[in-house]
Amino acid sequence: MMHNVCSPVLQSKGESLQQQEASLEPASRLQGLRDRDTVTRFDREVSIYVKLTNLRLELRWKSFMYKLISIIHLPSYTLKIQVGKGLPNAEEAYNFFTFNFEPDPPDESERSSVKRQKQRKIADRDEGRGDEAEEQEEAEDLFVIDQSPQDFLEVKKAVYVGYQNLIQRENEQLFTPSFRTVPTSVKLPENMKPRYLEDEGLYVGERPHVSLTNENILENRILKMEEGKKWFGDDGRIMALPDPIKESSTRPPLFHMEEDVDPSLQTVYRKVRHTRCHSDPEGDYQLDVDVSGLIFSHHPLFSREHVLGARLAQLYDQYLTRQHNNLTGHLTDKVNPTRQLSVHGKIHGGQSLTQAMTTRQLRDSEQEKDRTLLKNIVKVWKELKALREFQKFSNTPYKLYLRRENVDRASDEREHEDEILAEVVEFEAESEEDYQKKLTEYNKQLEEWKLWRRKQVPTYLLAQEASESEGPIEEGPPKPEPPERPDFDSIEQQVREKASRIRRKPGEAILIPELSASGNITASELCPRPEIARRQDVARRSLFIKILYNDKEVSRTDSRSLNTDFRVHFGQIFNLKIVHCPQSINLQVFEEIGSSCSLLARVFVPVPEPSVVTGNVPVEEYEFSSNQRVMFDHEGVGSDVPLSFEADGSNKQTLLTSGKLSCCVSWGIGEDDVPLAPPVSQQPGGIHSGLDRLDAVTYIGASGLYDMKKIGEWATQSRLDPNDPKNASIMQLLKVASSGEVTAPEYFRLEHLQEEFNFVTDEELERSKRFRLLRLRNREVAEFRNYKCVPALEREVTDKVFQEYEKRLKEGEIIDTKEHLDSHRALVAKYLQKIRESVINRFLLAKHHYVLSDLVIEEEIPSIGILGLNLFKLAEPKRPLKPQRKERKKVTAQNLSDGDIKLLINIIRAFDIPIRRPQSNKPGQVQVRPFVEVSFQRTVLQTTTADGPNPCWNEELQLPFSAPNGDYSNASLQSVKDEVFINMFDEVNDKDRGKSIHTWVEKHWLGSVKIPFSTIYSQSRIDGTFKVNTPAVLLGYSKERSHGANGGYDIMRSLSEGTFITLFITMEPQLVPGETIREKVSHFDSQEDEHLLQASERFEREAAQGYPDRPCITTVIDLNGKTVFITRFIRPLNPPQEFLDAFPNNPQEATALVARFVSLIPSLPDRVSFSGACDLWSTCDQFLTLLAGDEEEHAVLLCNYFLSMDKKAWLIIGTAIPEGPTTYVLTYEQSRYLIWNPSSGQYYGQYDTFCPLQTIGCLVNADNVWFNVQEYTTPMRLSFDITKANLWKPFFSRSFSHPGLSSVQPEELVYRRTDKAAAAELQDRIEKILKEKVMEWRPRHPTRWNRYCTTTLKQFLPKLEMSRGQDVTEGHRHDLKRISGFPLHLPFCEIRPIIEAVYSTGVHSVQVSNVEFALAVYVHPYPNNVLSVWVYLASLVRT
Amino acid sequence: MATSNPSVFLLTVNGQIEGANFPEYDDLYCKYCFVYGHDWAPTTGLEEGITQITRKNSQSSHRLIWNFPLETTFKSTNPSGWPQLVVSVYGPDAFGNDVVRGYGATHVPFTPGQHTRTIPMFVPEPTWRLQKFTGWLLGRRPEYTDPKVVAQGEGREVTRVRSQGFVTVSFHIMTKDMKKMGYDIGPSSPANTASVTSGWSTEEQQ
């Protein structure tokens, strides 16, 4: 439609553009434009006007093309335009390409010419369509008239076409298929009735569903097409294949997810196919394939003469074989004695006669065949000769000689006559006999008939009457005909006729054909051209044979050229060394023409029997043929092409390429004449052939044909067409057979070969101790993690190996009451163990997650400043006077071994050591002689003894460190639970008393500090002043108070009471502390809002960037491993009511009691228990149930108690010594801030020098988290005014308000009353165990117990508890004896720490002979099974 | 000695670190060590060693020759964790700093007999371009925390390496009692191995 409205100017421009393009690529363009032209020309809808314009343009185009073509000398161009001007000159050409054809106003003449054109055109159109010739004419006309550019263009106003016209034209062009049903008659060829195959009982599948409308539209559309009817089937519907989509899914739904798998789904174990022939892999087999040659019986390049020649040769071969077998002679010999026998012994009669007859018949047919063969040979030879004569050359060397063997005419005739006579006699005898037989038969029948007749007679009349009414009477046996007598004359006639047909005439010479290949082949020069072409073609071809063994090409012969006689000789023997069982041996004949080769034929050679060995097998000929269609334009007859030798072209034959391949396959013979053949049993049976081929008999095996099931299997696998009439019976059979049994559905399996890869069965894997050991080690079970040298043999694995592991496993179930003393604790321990395991499992993956720094040591990117400094350093003096402190090299704990790591403990000084009570008021008496003893992993070192209550040692002690199991990995080091005990003693010796000659030294325990190794490891150094845990009562010692005039220093000290020690602890070499996995595993599950999590992440990140050394925690992981926002943990919770009741008037006391209660809950650093995994926060009720937790839990509980007691309280996230990152509690009361250490119950003022809290990172309460953005971090220099945003950066601010997070804590805590009886029982048991232990520690000395003292101490201990360890009256002294000892106070969790603590005091180590001991244990129960344990161990020396 | 029921099998590794091919570097020395599984223990010989520094021939050859003998015997109960030879080559850079020139590892061959292994060597790449420059300037290239890392597969995904050079090692392997313990390490004669590796199930001869 565009053409209609398009102005011609535009078009011409387009054309000119095209021309310019065309000049660049004339040939292809030419083609394209011509195509276009034709389209335009035959498009009947294009308006005439446009047509004209096109025509003009086309003409211009053609003239140009003509010029162009004449330039490029294309002679075959068919335009008949004669141009006298010759080549366009350069200017013309240039103009042509560059000239802008302006639209010229059309002059009158042209318009008239246009009109004329138009008229003609219309006329043309009326006639039909302008054909090409006419147009050419017009072209010529126009061309002659004018050639100027004006001629080709016409400018005209755009013609308005009315809407109606437009519609009309559109309708002419467009076709809207109707959606009405097309009557069937239209769709079918005329005079045809629709035929419904379904009605005829044929199987018609279900057609895919198409909606009726769509189908109608499609049909209408198709019918519009030419030959549209071919799309319709006989039933008048569009032809369609049956719907290939199955209605239901093939895979049945699985209903047995939980239970055992459906029996039919059980994995079928199928042994893998053995790829080797033999169980013995060394057996080598050799198959010899001898390819000797190839003879074509027909080849496309055969000339006619060759065809005849091949036929002749074939016939001659046949003749020769017949001659060789000499069946005729044999039969003739056989006939004669039989005959004699039959003639002489008539007794045997019939039998020998029939035998003779059959033999004779056989001989006759053989003779006949011989004769026809001979005849045929002669006939073909004649044809050949005729052909040679006709074509005047010969292609084949065949020559047939017929040798005559003259015979003695007389004797031959006689023999012939004899023969005929004998035969005639025989025939006569036979017919006679036959006649006799028939005659007796006849007589018998006749008798019967007569009998019947006689019976019929009496009723005859009646019957006759009846017959009138009842019709014909019942039939009797027909009257038998008497047999004819044999005609002996005719017999003789027949015999003679036959003889003349099948035998040579008597006296005629015996013709013996002899085929020789001695004829001359006409030389190529003398042949006509087609023959020469054929011969050249032959010469170009060559053949080779590929040998395929089990469908794999293993070898190929050399390529041999095709001889003129179409024989190829290869004569190659291939020795195939065989690994796989032979299944097929296939020879492929390839024909090579030039470089391309094509497969002619395949020859399948049977796999030889093992007995067939090389040397004793004749070469066999295997026929092959190919159905390729080949035709030639030369003399070659081709293949699959009808061919006639008759002059009139009748009697056509179609010959296919065929031939014989002579080869032989046999098993090779080894050196010692052993056939290199696999044993028979190894021959592949039909076991797996189901996969490859589906021949029924091979699949089932002949015997299996009776097995219904097997047939069914085969039928389903080979997908028999149930509608194929050939299969009808088998389908019927199967239907009957399968109705009775349930067939297992077939499933697709992914890992059906899995079993093949198991090197032992699962049971064996379970049973074997060795495998168990290996698997446990692989799982990195603690006991076996670094187990060396797993024994190679099962029997060498002793059960002992597993004892420890099994014991541990059992512990999970059976609780060792002796170890725990308390069933509740045991349960808690078990529960903790379970949590630990689950957490460890959770982090197992993360542990194997590496970062680059784990593997590669790389220099940090130096900043410009550092780079400058480094450059500056080059100019530095090598040994500066004031050396800078160098960072120690850090070592990753990987390639370390025992003894590599040392713990360095620098004991610097101590303050306020208790002094001995003056025994007598002697002046200048020694106050105290303290020394420090450090024990770690049972190594004990001590400092020198110093003097006075404020000693200064400044000594470095080196303690070796060995990791458990020699495993120095991060995880292992983090889980080291050993602690460094730093004990302070007073050395007492005799000299002090200045009494006797024999001196003895005694040490009195003054106090201790415990620092867990995990803290040292994670902190890498500990530097500070610690409060020494001094016993509440030190017998014989008192605190020295404000004894010097030290001025202001005293004021500071007086704020806190107790003894302090300054320490510096580190490790050599410095170990890189393992990162907590929290950093690696960034995301845990969380129920928090995504925004909140992101905000908290951002908050923490900003904090870490701005103040890297200030801990900041906003989210924590709870016991379920979920991320929880920290404020959810803070909620006022009620402390046990009895504490509040105890001091109703003294809130201060109550506060202290609550703090004490919290501190009595055993502390269990979870960094240790979860091997550095992460901090897990438990809620207060969980904490009270577990009765174990680290500083966070204590702090949270304490904070919550304080809140419920109407105090202002916050959680402090900070670092302290020695704990490292920890949590404290801050309270604000009486206008001062107090810092509480929740695990000790101690509180410090804000300005306390010895406050262990070093850094405050952030404060937390139920509403918000504030991060410290002040200059300093120590509590002393901080302002705790959290309302100031420039000092404390709040998490929830106006921009991100508190979303109202609910608490994870319970509403209220419920406390259990403590069982006093249980406490008493526990008390007894601890006492008993400790007594045993003390005696055990003193193996060489008798241990006496002073009962009196013990009772005194026992009475004293509850008082201590009441006073919460504060100094009580010191009146409980024994003047009688020199007594040294002290009460130890511990929160109770296990017996082991108590023993350790007692041991570390060293009270037991008194060597004096008259020493007596006193031991008292007191267990004070608090609510919820929180137990406070006091142990008072004293030694008494009688003075 | 000749017990009929051995509880361990022995693997004797003789051979030498023949030399290396580092076209760009000179004055190199090589450290070697064996990495083996839990069930392996060296009985005799050195587990670790360090070669002399070698220079290239000034005339033609690009090869560095060490000819450093290896002689170690292992005993084991389990073929899992079969010993690997880890070699790492060091040499001075342009400023005379000792830097690593390549790491490489290969399993000690399983089959008895003579074997020659050419180990392709590689070094870890710096994370940043700038680090590459400063590393070059300061003579501190990235190194593995432990050369034995190259004998393990775990955690290697975080590193990036560049290959440079080859080290040639020849082995003479002897085993004892492996077959007795049920570990068949394949055909005994090297002639048979050729036919096994040929990939074709059959072989032809004319």
Side-chain angles (χ1 to χ4, degrees), chain A residues 554-555 575 577 579-580 770 774 777 787-790 792 796 848 850 852 854-859 861, chain B residues 7 38-39 77-78 126-128 130-131 140 142-145 149 154-155 158 181 201-205:
Chain A
V554 292
S555 185
N575 303 328
K577 281 254 186 313
V579 178
H580 296 283
R770 179 166 181 263
L774 286 170
R777 186 175 69 182
Y787 195 88
K788 302 268 187 206
C789 283
V790 172
E796 288 172 15
H848 285 271
Y850 286 79
L852 185 65
D854 293 342
L855 287 178
V856 179
I857 308 170
E858 194 176 24
E859 286 288 300
I861 303 183
Chain B
S7 60
H38 291 303
D39 299 327
T77 56
N78 193 351
T127 322
W128 308 98
L130 182 62
Q131 265 169 315
R140 277 184 288 219
E143 285 183 28
Y144 281 120
T145 52
V149 163
E154 202 177 36
V158 298
M181 301 188 62
S201 57
T202 58
E203 275 194 337
E204 51 167 58
Q205 291 152 12

Side-chain angles (χ1 to χ4, degrees), chain A residues 271 548 907 1412:
Chain A
K271 193 82 186 148
L548 280 82
I907 293 154
E1412 285 184 2

Side-chain angles (χ1 to χ4, degrees), chain A residues 1376-1388:
Chain A
L1376 290 171
K1377 295 155 192 170
R1378 219 153 40 91
I1379 181 166
S1380 65
F1382 32 79
L1384 294 172
H1385 176 239
L1386 299 159
F1388 176 76

Side-chain angles (χ1 to χ4, degrees), chain A residues 294-517:
Chain A
L294 185 69
I295 302 165
F296 279 102
S297 54
H298 181 76
H299 189 272
L301 283 172
F302 267 22
S303 64
R304 288 159 166 275
E305 194 184 331
H306 275 108
V307 176
L308 290 175
R311 202 181 292 165
L312 185 65
Q314 208 179 337
L315 288 171
Y316 184 68
D317 275 349
Q318 219 175 326
Y319 172 79
L320 283 185
T321 34
R322 289 191 72 85
Q323 283 304 110
H324 179 75
N325 291 349
N326 199 11
L327 216 60
T328 322
H330 178 71
L331 286 171
T332 317
D333 288 349
K334 207 175 167 186
V335 166
N336 290 336
T338 326
R339 187 180 292 153
Q340 258 135 43
L341 204 76
S342 64
V343 170
H344 289 290
K346 273 269 179 187
I347 320 120
H348 300 293
Q351 233 160 18
S352 61
L353 200 66
T354 42
Q355 196 184 349
M357 288 220 358
T358 46
T359 324
R360 197 185 60 227
Q361 271 170 1
L362 269 176
R363 190 209 51 186
D364 285 352
S365 70
E366 286 301 319
Q367 268 181 340
E368 194 175 353
K369 273 183 199 160
D370 273 353
R371 202 165 167 77
T372 41
L373 187 63
L374 198 63
K375 270 185 187 164
N376 278 339
I377 289 175
V378 174
K379 185 179 162 230
V380 172
W381 173 235
K382 273 179 184 159
E383 276 178 324
L384 190 67
K385 272 203 289 192
L387 187 69
R388 278 181 185 165
E389 250 167 59
F390 171 74
Q391 66 190 16
K392 297 196 178 62
F393 60 85
S394 65
N395 265 338
T396 46
Y398 295 119
K399 261 188 170 173
L400 188 78
Y401 298 101
L402 287 172
R403 195 151 48 83
R404 276 167 200 274
E405 234 174 60
N406 282 329
V407 285
D408 183 10
R409 196 182 172 96
S411 66
D412 195 41
E413 258 176 27
R414 200 175 56 236
E415 248 174 54
H416 186 75
E417 206 55 37
D418 283 351
E419 185 78 10
I420 285 174
L421 280 178
E423 213 174 311
V424 168
V425 167
E426 257 171 55
F427 264 116
E428 277 173 358
E430 194 190 321
S431 2
E432 180 64 46
E433 197 179 348
D434 202 27
Y435 172 73
Q436 289 301 338
K437 226 190 244 168
K438 277 185 185 159
L439 203 63
T440 45
E441 184 81 3
Y442 164 75
N443 287 338
K444 212 167 102 191
Q445 279 179 358
L446 198 65
E447 281 302 308
E448 274 174 24
W449 183 75
K450 278 178 181 159
L451 208 72
W452 177 76
R453 243 338 249 279
R454 238 172 273 138
K455 266 194 258 167
Q456 292 287 319
V457 171
T459 55
Y460 188 68
L461 287 173
L462 283 168
Q464 226 171 13
E465 277 172 19
S467 70
E468 277 173 6
S469 57
E470 290 173 15
I473 49 156
E474 54 196 290
E475 260 179 64
K479 195 183 171 196
E481 301 280 326
E484 275 180 46
R485 276 207 70 84
D487 183 2
F488 292 107
D489 294 341
S490 68
I491 286 175
E492 195 176 340
Q493 196 94 31
Q494 276 171 10
V495 170
R496 276 185 194 285
E497 248 173 51
K498 196 179 80 184
S500 69
R501 200 174 67 237
I502 63 169
R503 284 178 217 155
R504 68 192 157 84
K505 291 200 176 64
E508 209 175 273
I510 302 171
L511 283 176
I512 300 170
E514 268 176 25
L515 191 68
S516 75

Side-chain angles (χ1 to χ4, degrees), chain A residues 107-323:
Chain A
D107 53 23
E108 197 54 46
S109 66
E110 207 198 20
R111 190 164 285 180
S112 66
S113 84
V114 166
K115 271 179 190 162
R116 208 176 61 226
Q117 289 288 326
K118 214 186 250 177
Q119 279 160 1
R120 272 186 71 176
K121 205 63 204 168
I122 291 162
D124 278 353
R125 198 179 166 226
D126 289 344
E127 276 169 27
R129 239 155 275 156
D131 62 32
E132 195 117 17
E134 236 170 330
E135 250 172 61
Q136 297 294 352
E137 241 170 70
E138 284 170 36
E140 215 166 0
D141 283 348
L142 270 169
F143 195 71
V144 170
I145 293 167
D146 205 346
Q147 267 198 359
S148 69
Q150 289 96 324
D151 227 18
F152 305 134
L153 291 169
E154 184 184 12
V155 177
K156 217 183 157 189
K157 281 177 195 161
V159 183
Y160 169 73
V161 183
Y163 180 70
Q164 287 299 327
N165 279 350
L166 216 66
I167 298 272
Q168 205 179 335
R169 282 183 196 170
E170 239 171 53
N171 283 344
E172 276 171 33
Q173 255 192 343
L174 298 183
F175 163 68
T176 316
S178 126
F179 45 81
R180 272 190 225 122
T181 316
V182 187
T184 321
S185 56
V186 183
K187 294 185 279 191
L188 287 175
E190 278 166 46
N191 302 328
M192 269 267 288
K193 273 194 179 173
R195 176 175 162 224
Y196 298 102
L197 289 176
E198 216 163 350
D199 294 348
E200 292 172 25
L202 292 174
Y203 172 77
V204 179
E206 193 150 314
R207 302 158 69 94
H209 176 76
V210 180
S211 77
L212 190 67
T213 335
N214 283 345
E215 200 177 327
N216 288 338
I217 290 173
L218 184 68
E219 281 179 0
N220 277 312
R221 198 180 287 145
I222 285 173
L223 277 174
K224 197 82 184 169
M225 288 186 348
E226 281 178 65
E227 297 186 339
K229 281 177 185 162
K230 74 176 178 186
W231 293 100
F232 294 98
D234 288 342
D235 54 353
R237 299 185 69 185
I238 294 179
M239 285 187 281
L241 286 175
D243 195 351
I245 299 163
K246 287 191 181 175
E247 275 173 30
S248 56
S249 91
T250 319
R251 189 181 173 85
L254 297 176
F255 297 112
H256 331 264
M257 291 315 281
E258 275 90 37
E259 306 143 40
D260 277 349
V261 196
D262 186 312
S264 57
L265 265 177
Q266 290 294 355
T267 310
V268 182
Y269 174 58
R270 211 166 263 154
K271 193 82 186 148
V272 85
R273 227 153 70 168
H274 273 295
T275 48
R276 285 179 169 270
C277 256
H278 204 255
S279 51
D280 179 17
E282 268 93 44
D284 53 345
Y285 309 120
Q286 184 182 318
L287 202 63
D288 293 349
V289 179
D290 179 355
V291 183
S292 59
L294 185 69
I295 302 165
F296 279 102
S297 54
H298 181 76
H299 189 272
L301 283 172
F302 267 22
S303 64
R304 288 159 166 275
E305 194 184 331
H306 275 108
V307 176
L308 290 175
R311 202 181 292 165
L312 185 65
Q314 208 179 337
L315 288 171
Y316 184 68
D317 275 349
Q318 219 175 326
Y319 172 79
L320 283 185
T321 34
R322 289 191 72 85
Q323 283 304 110

Side-chain angles (χ1 to χ4, degrees), chain A residues 954-1018:
Chain A
N954 208 3
E955 264 183 65
E956 187 181 270
L957 305 173
Q958 284 196 7
L959 292 132
F961 166 73
S962 60
N965 297 331
D967 180 7
Y968 285 87
S969 66
N970 273 337
S972 155
L973 286 179
Q974 276 171 342
S975 60
V976 171
K977 285 186 187 175
D978 294 320
E979 290 184 324
V980 181
F981 291 97
I982 298 162
N983 292 307
M984 201 185 287
F985 291 95
D986 178 24
E987 189 185 87
V988 182
N989 58 23
D990 252 2
K991 230 165 60 187
D992 299 340
R993 293 168 217 276
K995 256 187 188 170
S996 58
I997 311 140
H998 71 276
T999 60
W1000 46 269
V1001 180
E1002 222 174 67
K1003 54 178 187 177
H1004 291 175
W1005 188 69
L1006 298 176
S1008 75
V1009 177
K1010 270 191 300 184
I1011 294 168
F1013 174 78
S1014 58
T1015 309
I1016 303 170
Y1017 178 66
S1018 58

